[in-house]
Each structure stands twice: as C-alpha cells, then as structure tokens.
C-alpha cells in the first residue's frame, strides 16, 4: 500500500530517519541503536530478567568450529588443533593463500541462513565461540604464524611473547575497529537480533591457552595463560586477555542484543600436578581482573564465569570468594557431557556443578543465575533427558554444536570432503559447510524441542509399501524405540550408543548395508529391544509381510504388532547370508496405526519390511 504524505511530512520523516541513524552511529561506535528490540538482561537473585522484570530463560545453540576450528568436528583428528591444521596447510601453500582459505572458510561456515534457521526452530540464544587471534592485525597474526611454523622453538615463541608485550605497552592491541573479530561479532549480533535471539560472546581460545587440550585452546604450550612470563616478569598472556575484554566492553557496553560475556571457555587442569594451586587461586585472580576491567567501562552486561575442570568446579570461585567489589550480574556456568541426567544424582563436592541437582543447589545456595553453556556430544536420548531435566528446573542451556562433518550428533551434518590438505578437499569443504548444502538432522532437533512422551513419524510409511527398518519414529527410548544401551552416562566409557555410528543419532545401532533398500540397516538387535513405525494402511485387508534381514549365529525370533494387536511372529534360522522371511498377516484395518517390531531372539541386521496385498483369500488361508 502506498501512502501519500505532504512534502513537509516527508521531509520530517526523512530527517527523523537520518537523526536516528546519527544517534545509532554516535553511541558506542555506532553499535547501539535506540530501536533495539531486545531488552537488556540482568540478574535478579537466581533469575535472568529483562528490563520489565520478566524472566528470560536462554535456550540456544553454539556456533563452534567456525571462528576456531576443532579437529574432531572437522574430521581432522590427527591434527588435533587449529594451529596444526594451519601448519599442514603452510607446507603446501604460501601464507597468503592460507589466510585466503580461512577468509573463505569463515565466510561460508556460518551465515545469516544458519542463524535464521535457528531462529525458526524457536531457539532464543546463540553462543559465539571465537579465537583471540581474530582480534590481531594481519601483521600481528603473521608474528603468531611464525611460531606455528616452528612450534618447538622456544626462542621463536619467546620472541612472539615479547612482541605481545610491546604491542600491549604501546596500546597497539585490539584498537582497529575493522578487525575480523569485531566484524564477525557485529554480523552475528545483527543476524540474531533480526530473529529476536540474544548473543553470548565466548572467548574460546584465550591468549596462551587456558588448559592442556590443544583442540580447545589452540595453544603452543600447555597452560601458558597461567604460567608464561615475559622478560619483565609479567603474565603477559593474562594482560593481553584483560586488554581484549577491556576493548570488547568499551565497544559493546550499550548493546542489549548481547546477553552475556563468557570470559574464558573451559579452563582445565589447573592443579598441583601442573605446577599450579590446588584450589583455583590463579583462576580467581584473573577473574577478579576481568570483572573489574569490564565494570570499569561502565558495562553492566551479565558476566558468565566458568569453573576449573572444563567449566564446572567453583572451589574458591563462589561469590563470597571472588575478591571483587561489584558482584552484580554474575552467572555461573556448567558444561554437561557424558554424565547422568538422573535428577536425584549428586556430586559430594557442592562446588562441582555438572550434575543437575548440584547445579540447582548451587543456584539456591548462592542466589545466582546458572546456565549450561555447553551440552551435547551424546545420543538423542541423552539430549532429550538433559534438556527436559534442565527445563524442569528453569535452567537455560546452549547445545553443542550446530555443525559437524559426517556426524549425526550435530544439528547440521556436513558431508565428507576428503583431505583438507588438498585443493580438492578444501574446495569441497568450502562448498559442503554452506547451510544450503548441509543435512538437517531432524532427530537431533526433535530431541531438543520435543516433550518427554512425544512420538512422531520420521518418514511417511504406507501399507502396501516398503518401510526401511532405520526409519522408525522420532522419540525417546521407551516411547519410539527401546535399545539396551541408548546413552553415555560415564565419561570413561567411550562406547557409542549407536554402535554403527550411521544415519541417526539414537541408541539404535545402525550400520551401512548394501542389502538394505536405503543403504542402512538396524544391527545388533537384542532380545527386549523394539522399534515403532507410524503407518497408514491404505486399504484394509490381509497382507504378506517380507522381512529383509541377516540372521545371527543362533536362531532369531521377531514379532510384529499393530496397535498392540498381534500381527505374527517369524523364526529366523541361524546363518550369515541375507535372506527374506515371509509372514502372512491377518486383516489390517485401514487408517493410521502404530506398527511395532519386537525382538524376542537376536538377529544380526534388519534392512526393512515390505507389505504387499495377499494374492487371494485362498492363498492367504493356506499360508
């Protein structure tokens, strides 16, 4: 619809727009606008609330693997860190080409389309993990690259450390408004705000490295953030970290689209065995500096703390022990992986918060908000139990991770690309990581968004027709299927819940199989396990069911039910060759039904079920 305004009104409207743009530009370097639609968040006792006092529970996704590559998600496990990947690339191409590859990688990996997709699924937060080197100038990054060319050289590393000290003293760190890190933050904040999603800034790879895991830290020496001193005796990596958050706070202090600052991701192995204190003294001292420098910018953003032990141990980090004047707007984090979701489970250390009961008790004891900044890397059954348990306690969470190469555990599956060290592999990777070329793992999405008793079709199934065994319904163990091992709850046990590690991310074991109609078969079917399929019987009547399967070393036995009514039982002779077992059915009524396949004796693999109308009443009665 076109509205015709008088000339004077049009001029006033245009002038008002330019005035609004000018206000946006002048306030905080142009990053804060009076028209922001997201209310600033703050802590009110144990709750996060907006400016109106309404509670906001942040539930979202991490966009990891983008601004810091982690080898296990990228499928380059033997390289185990971003700098080692870069080192491998530098053996085959000039540094300028390596930098160009990374520019293209960062351009393609996360885009507005990825953020829009998250917004459409109902998530309201994005945690943005980033590497500190994105806030270095090209010349400063070249100095760091010189170290990774020869990482064993202590002289080369010491030279870089001294350069950091010089840049710090001369105020030459993080001062360029056009640094890549700032641009990426600005893009994500804008994309998220358009979807009414908050952003959490996460320093995922801190200067020097906050632990021993190079995959996370991308460090040259373990724990250098806590131990490395320059020639002046300073813990220079800590000084650099403080300076970075000083600049971030000065730039974003008025931006309500940013919910929290996650100061240091997953500090770990700070202990006496590594020459540090046994009670987090070093971590407490740095947190005091970081909180103080952020508040010195008149920045009241929520500050997310992470404990030792990959974000969970808060010994000497409780509000009474932090040693800072301003303890407002602090949030305590947990990272939950490979632990039990049982609500009654507890850890004897009250400051160890990865178990839900401990997390709730810590929140109630200290009257501070708690938030799970990372959780995932398990089966859908574990995902669903975790988020449903946290939701029941009104605790927000952020799932890890949005994308993984050839994995069912991520929200988006990136197709295999070959070797990153070949031109063909790099070209394929840059193509495959784009949102339009990723596969949405619908089972993961359902696990994070469904209620406990929800069961829904994974795919449409019609009788007569073929039902791939792997296309059982979406839902939790005990609702859509049952498997004897459906989730990892002990970090020491690395057995995958889906032992075939293919197709889906449930506890059901699925393996590639050329004998299955869709190329995948349910495998290792054990007594007591079962699968359900939502089916539509197009026409009522008797059918012939054909089960395509591979027997086991002992006779197997499978039973079919339709809406709990018996359809029939098949006995499978022992063997190893794929075979088809035929089962005549009684009259199946037309309409939508639940077909259940129950395992009474083990079978090696099941490819699918095919239903065809019985040839005739006479033939059906003879079988």
């Amino acid at each position: 619809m076109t509205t015709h305004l008088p000339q004077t009104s049009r001029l006033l409207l245009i002038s008002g727009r330019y005035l609004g743009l000018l206000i946006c530009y002048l306030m905080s370097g142009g990053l804060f606008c009076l028209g922001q639609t997201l209310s600033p968040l703050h802590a009110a006792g144990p709750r996060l609330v907006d400016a109106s006092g309404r509670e906001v529970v942040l539930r979202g996704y991490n966009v990891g693997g983008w601004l810091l590559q982690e080898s296990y998600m990228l499928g380059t496990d033997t390289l185990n860190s971003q700098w080692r990947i870069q080192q491998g690339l530098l053996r085959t191409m000039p540094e300028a080409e390596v930098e160009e590859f990374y520019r293209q990688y960062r351009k393609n990996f996360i885009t507005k389309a990825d953020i829009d997709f998250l917004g459409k699924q109902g998530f309201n937060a994005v945690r943005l993990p980033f590497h500190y080197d994105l806030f270095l100038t090209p010349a400063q990054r070249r100095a760091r690259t010189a170290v990774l060319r020869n990482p064993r050289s202590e002289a080369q590393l010491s030279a870089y450390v001294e350069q950091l000290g010089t840049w710090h003293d001369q105020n030459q760190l993080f001062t360029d408004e056009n640094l890549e890190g700032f641009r990426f933050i600005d893009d994500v904040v804008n994309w998220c705000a358009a979807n009414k999603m908050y952003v959490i800034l996460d320093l995922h790879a801190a200067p020097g490295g906050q632990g021993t895991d190079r995959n996370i830290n991308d460090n040259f020496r373990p724990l250098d953030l806590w131990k490395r001193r320059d020639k002046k005796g300073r813990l220079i990596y800590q000084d650099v970290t403080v300076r970075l958050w000083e600049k971030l706070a000065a730039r974003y202090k008025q931006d309500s689209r940013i919910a929290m600052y996650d100061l240091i991701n997953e500090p770990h192995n700070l202990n006496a065995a590594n020459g540090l204190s046994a009670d987090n003294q070093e971590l407490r001292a740095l947190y005091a500096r970081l909180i103080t420098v952020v508040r010195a910018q008149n920045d009241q953003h929520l500050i997310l703390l992470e404990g030792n032990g990959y974000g969970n141990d808060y010994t000497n980090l409780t509000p009474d022990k932090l040693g800072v004047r301003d303890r407002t707007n602090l949030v305590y984090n947990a990272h939950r992986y490979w632990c039990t979701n049982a609500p009654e489970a507890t850890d004897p250390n009250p400051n160890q918060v990865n178990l839900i009961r401990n997390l709730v008790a810590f929140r109630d004891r200290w009257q501070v908000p708690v938030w799970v900044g990372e959780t995932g890397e398990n089966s859908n059954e574990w995902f669903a139990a975790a988020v449903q348990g946290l939701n029941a306690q009104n605790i927000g969470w952020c799932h890890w991770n949005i994308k993984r190469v050839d994995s069912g555990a991520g929200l988006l599956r990136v197709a295999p690309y070959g070797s990153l060290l070949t031109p063909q592999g790099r070209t394929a990777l840059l193509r495959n990581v784009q949102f339009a070329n990723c596969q949405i793992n619908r089972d993961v999405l359902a696990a994070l968004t469904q209620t406990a008793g929800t069961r829904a079709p994974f795919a449409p199934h019609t009788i007569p027709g073929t039902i791939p065994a792997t296309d059982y319904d979406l839902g939790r163990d005990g609702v859509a299927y049952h498997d004897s091992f459906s989730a990892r709850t002990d970090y020491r046990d690395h057995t995958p819940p889906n032992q075939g590690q293919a197709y889906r991310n449930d506890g059901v074991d699925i393996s590639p199989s050329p004998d299955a109609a869709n190329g995948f078969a349910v495998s290792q079917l054990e007594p007591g396990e079962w699968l359900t399929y939502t089916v539509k019987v197009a026409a009522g009547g008797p059918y012939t069911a054909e089960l395509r399967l591979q027997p086991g070393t002992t006779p197997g036995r499978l039973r079919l039910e339709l809406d709990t009514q018996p359809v029939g039982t098949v006995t499978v002779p022992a063997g190893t060759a794929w075979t088809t077992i035929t089962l005549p059915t009684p009259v199946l009524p037309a309409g939508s039904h639940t077909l259940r396949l129950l395992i009474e004796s083990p079978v090696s693999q099941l490819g699918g079920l095919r239903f065809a109308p019985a040839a005739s009443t006479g033939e059906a009665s003879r079988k």
Side-chain angles (χ1 to χ4, degrees):
M1 181 177 69
T2 303
T3 302
H4 297 282
L5 297 174
Q7 179 71 18
T8 304
S9 298
R10 290 203 301 271
L11 289 173
L12 287 172
L13 179 60
I14 294 170
S15 299
R17 286 175 179 167
Y18 278 111
L19 178 60
L21 290 173
L22 179 61
I23 292 172
C24 288
Y25 178 77
L26 292 176
M27 297 186 72
S28 279
L31 295 175
F32 172 67
C33 179
L34 295 179
Q36 291 182 84
T37 58
L38 290 173
S39 172
L41 302 182
H42 65 275
R47 302 183 305 147
L48 297 183
V49 299
D50 64 14
S52 300
R54 292 173 296 192
E55 184 170 14
V56 176
V57 180
L58 297 175
R59 300 184 179 100
Y61 246 99
N62 282 273
V63 289
W66 177 32
L67 304 184
L68 168 67
Q69 292 174 329
E70 296 194 36
S71 292
Y72 79 98
M73 293 192 296
L74 197 58
T76 60
D77 288 14
T78 57
L79 296 175
N80 85 13
S81 69
Q82 180 172 283
W83 75 257
R84 288 201 60 195
I85 294 171
Q86 293 170 323
Q87 184 185 61
L89 294 173
L90 286 166
R91 295 193 190 104
T92 62
M93 53 200 298
E95 184 173 337
E97 291 184 19
V98 173
E99 286 290 316
E100 177 58 26
F101 164 73
Y102 274 94
R103 278 190 288 271
Q104 294 302 315
Y105 176 84
R106 292 189 281 264
K107 177 182 177 182
N108 289 0
F109 192 93
I110 295 294
T111 65
K112 185 177 183 296
D114 297 280
I115 302 302
D116 289 347
F117 173 73
L118 291 176
K120 289 176 182 176
Q121 310 316 311
F123 298 108
N124 66 354
V126 164
R127 181 170 176 258
L128 177 61
F130 54 80
H131 195 306
Y132 87 93
D133 75 352
L134 293 172
F135 298 88
L136 300 177
T137 66
Q140 290 168 346
R141 199 146 70 208
R142 281 195 295 273
R144 186 176 187 273
T145 301
V147 181
L148 67 87
R149 287 180 179 274
N150 188 16
R152 295 183 180 180
S153 170
E154 190 64 28
Q156 189 71 62
L157 178 56
S158 295
Y160 174 61
V161 169
E162 293 308 312
Q163 285 178 299
L164 282 175
T166 299
W167 296 327
H168 176 275
D169 294 343
Q170 297 178 356
N171 195 26
Q172 294 176 346
L173 287 172
F174 322 129
T175 56
D176 186 344
E177 294 289 322
N178 293 311
L179 292 170
E180 275 190 289
F182 293 134
R183 296 204 308 270
F184 287 124
I185 290 174
D186 295 348
D187 284 344
V188 171
V189 167
N190 286 327
W191 298 337
C192 286
N195 288 281
K196 295 183 170 57
M197 301 170 72
Y198 286 96
V199 176
I200 295 88
L201 301 186
D202 160 38
L203 180 54
H204 213 73
Q210 60 271 31
T212 60
D213 188 332
R214 290 193 299 195
N215 217 359
I216 299 167
N217 304 281
D218 197 39
N219 54 356
F220 300 117
R221 302 288 188 277
L223 299 162
D224 260 7
L225 175 63
W226 315 103
K227 302 169 80 170
R228 172 82 51 175
R229 295 183 182 273
D230 66 3
K231 291 181 179 178
K232 295 181 179 180
R234 298 176 296 183
L235 291 167
I236 189 61
Y237 281 130
Q238 294 192 18
D239 292 351
V240 171
T241 304
V242 171
R243 178 66 54 83
L244 176 56
W245 277 112
E246 178 185 40
K247 298 297 185 182
L248 288 168
R251 183 180 176 92
Y252 295 109
K253 61 186 176 183
Q254 300 289 351
D255 199 325
S256 62
R257 300 169 299 178
I258 296 173
M260 291 189 278
Y261 298 154
D262 192 345
L263 299 177
I264 303 172
N265 174 70
E266 292 190 337
H268 59 280
N269 284 336
L270 280 69
N271 52 42
N274 286 313
L276 300 169
S277 70
D279 57 357
N280 296 332
Q281 297 291 344
E282 295 84 2
L283 185 54
R284 182 177 66 174
L286 182 54
Y287 275 153
R289 293 185 65 190
L290 291 170
I291 294 168
T292 299
V293 78
V294 168
R295 296 296 183 236
Q297 310 312 306
N298 196 27
D299 187 332
Q300 296 305 312
H301 270 101
L302 294 163
I303 291 178
L304 184 67
L305 303 180
E306 298 206 25
N308 194 3
Y310 293 92
N312 295 302
D313 177 17
Y314 288 97
T315 299
N316 270 331
L317 301 174
T318 50
D320 62 321
K321 299 286 183 65
L322 276 177
V324 293
R325 290 184 178 179
D326 189 346
R327 297 172 188 160
T328 60
N329 286 340
L330 298 181
V331 182
Y332 282 77
N333 162 87
H335 283 192
R336 305 192 68 249
Y337 294 106
W338 317 303
C339 57
T340 180
N341 291 307
E344 71 279 3
T346 186
D347 190 293
N349 178 1
N351 293 320
Q352 172 64 245
V353 300
N354 67 322
L355 298 183
I356 293 177
R357 186 172 176 181
N358 280 54
L359 195 56
V360 171
F362 189 95
R363 176 186 65 185
D364 295 345
R365 165 69 178 84
W366 296 106
Q367 287 294 292
V368 291
V370 295
W371 192 64
V372 177
E374 289 185 21
T375 181
E377 299 296 353
N378 211 307
S379 67
N380 294 331
E381 168 59 20
W382 194 93
F383 294 169
V387 300
Q388 288 164 22
L390 293 168
N391 290 346
Q393 297 293 341
N394 232 27
I395 297 173
W397 46 267
C398 204
H399 207 71
W400 186 275
N401 181 52
I402 186 172
K403 290 181 181 178
R404 279 191 61 180
V405 172
D406 198 25
S407 170
L411 183 60
L412 301 174
R413 187 193 297 256
V414 177
Y417 58 90
S419 172
L420 193 61
L421 301 182
T422 67
Q424 298 84 356
R426 290 190 292 275
T427 298
L429 176 62
L430 294 178
R431 178 184 65 247
N432 294 353
V433 297
Q434 296 175 43
F435 175 78
N437 298 326
C438 291
Q439 173 189 316
I440 299 169
N441 288 326
R442 294 184 299 109
D443 53 332
V444 171
L445 182 61
L448 298 177
T449 57
Q450 69 189 0
T451 56
T454 301
R455 180 171 60 85
F458 179 80
H461 299 310
T462 302
I463 295 177
T466 298
I467 301 173
T470 56
D471 289 359
Y472 56 90
D473 286 346
L474 295 166
R476 290 191 60 176
D477 188 352
V479 176
Y481 71 93
H482 173 60
D483 192 272
S484 59
F485 179 64
S486 60
R488 288 178 58 191
T489 56
D490 184 340
Y491 71 94
R492 296 164 296 187
D493 183 358
H494 296 278
T495 305
N498 174 356
Q499 295 188 41
Q501 302 187 66
Y503 197 66
R504 293 176 67 169
N505 193 49
D506 292 311
V508 177
D509 303 311
I510 299 177
S511 302
S513 174
D515 288 281
N518 67 346
F520 298 93
V522 176
S523 58
Q524 303 181 55
L525 294 98
E526 299 178 1
E529 297 181 341
W530 48 266
L531 303 163
T532 63
Y533 305 85
T534 299
V535 299
K536 179 180 180 182
V537 179
Y543 286 83
T544 299
E546 296 178 347
L547 285 72
R548 183 66 177 164
L549 53 81
Q550 182 186 36
T553 56
T554 59
R557 186 176 174 86
L558 308 178
R559 185 171 86 249
L560 286 177
E561 295 177 351
L562 193 73
D563 299 334
T564 72
Q565 298 302 308
V567 171
T569 301
V570 298
T571 300
V572 184
T576 57
W578 278 81
T579 186
T580 300
I581 304 293
T582 301
L583 172 71
T585 79
V587 171
L588 304 183
S592 181
H593 303 278
T594 298
L595 178 70
R596 185 185 298 261
L597 173 73
L598 302 100
I599 316 304
E600 295 185 344
S601 296
V603 170
S604 180
Q605 295 192 85
L606 177 67
L609 303 89
R610 180 178 178 271
F611 289 83
S616 68
T617 303
E619 180 180 348
S621 64
R622 289 195 300 271
K623 291 186 176 179

